[in-house]
């Protein structure tokens, strides 16, 4: 039994519309932005999705250096029950990163290596 299914891969960046446009040109698909342009979705012709999120302090990585700016995206994982999924990921070794607002439809954690991911209620 799995705890979650992959919702969307989200890339943090300084200009979500521009980066979504690049990937739309590369992969094809349709781009939809929120009113502010802080969040942009790309749906590819094969119904796969990428999202792009504004990150004001974004610093590009110095590839292939793993010791500098290594976290460049996070995963949004869709779950049916946030509380049950939270118990499961904590049991697997995840650490909560954002516990201030439990009323939201999403929660933020770090995997055992420190990469952030969100559990999102479907």
């Amino acid at each position: 039994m799995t705890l979650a299914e992959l919702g969307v891969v989200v890339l943090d960046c300084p200009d979500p519309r521009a980066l979504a446009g690049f990937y739309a040109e590369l992969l094809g698909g349709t781009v939809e932005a929120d009113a502010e342009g802080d969040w942009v979705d790309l749906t590819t012709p094969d119904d796969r999705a990428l999202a792009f999120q504004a990150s004001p302090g974004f610093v590009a990585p110095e590839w292939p250096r793993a010791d500098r700016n290594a976290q460049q995206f996070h995963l949004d994982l869709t779950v049916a029950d946030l509380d049950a999924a939270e118990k499961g990921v904590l049991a697997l070794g995840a650490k909560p990163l954002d516990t201030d607002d439990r009323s939201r439809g999403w929660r933020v954690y770090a995997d055992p290596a420190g990469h952030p991911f969100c559990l999102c209620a479907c």
Side-chain angles (χ1 to χ4, degrees), residues 41-67:
D41 290 307
L42 168 64
T43 304
T44 64
D46 60 356
D47 289 324
R48 295 182 189 260
L50 286 175
F52 306 88
Q53 175 176 276
S55 178
F58 179 80
V59 177
E62 291 183 25
W63 190 89
R65 290 182 55 182
D67 64 333

Side-chain angles (χ1 to χ4, degrees), residues 51-116:
F52 306 88
Q53 175 176 276
S55 178
F58 179 80
V59 177
E62 291 183 25
W63 190 89
R65 290 182 55 182
D67 64 333
R68 185 168 162 91
N69 305 322
Q71 192 260 299
Q72 295 298 315
F73 70 95
H74 70 270
L75 298 175
D76 282 352
L77 304 174
T78 304
V79 300
D81 182 330
L82 276 172
D83 292 330
E86 177 177 65
K87 287 178 186 174
V89 299
L90 294 175
L92 292 172
K95 294 182 174 84
L97 296 179
D98 182 7
T99 59
D100 294 337
D101 186 353
R102 306 292 287 171
S103 67
R104 296 182 305 220
W106 50 271
R107 299 177 188 167
V108 185
Y109 306 87
D111 68 18
H115 301 105

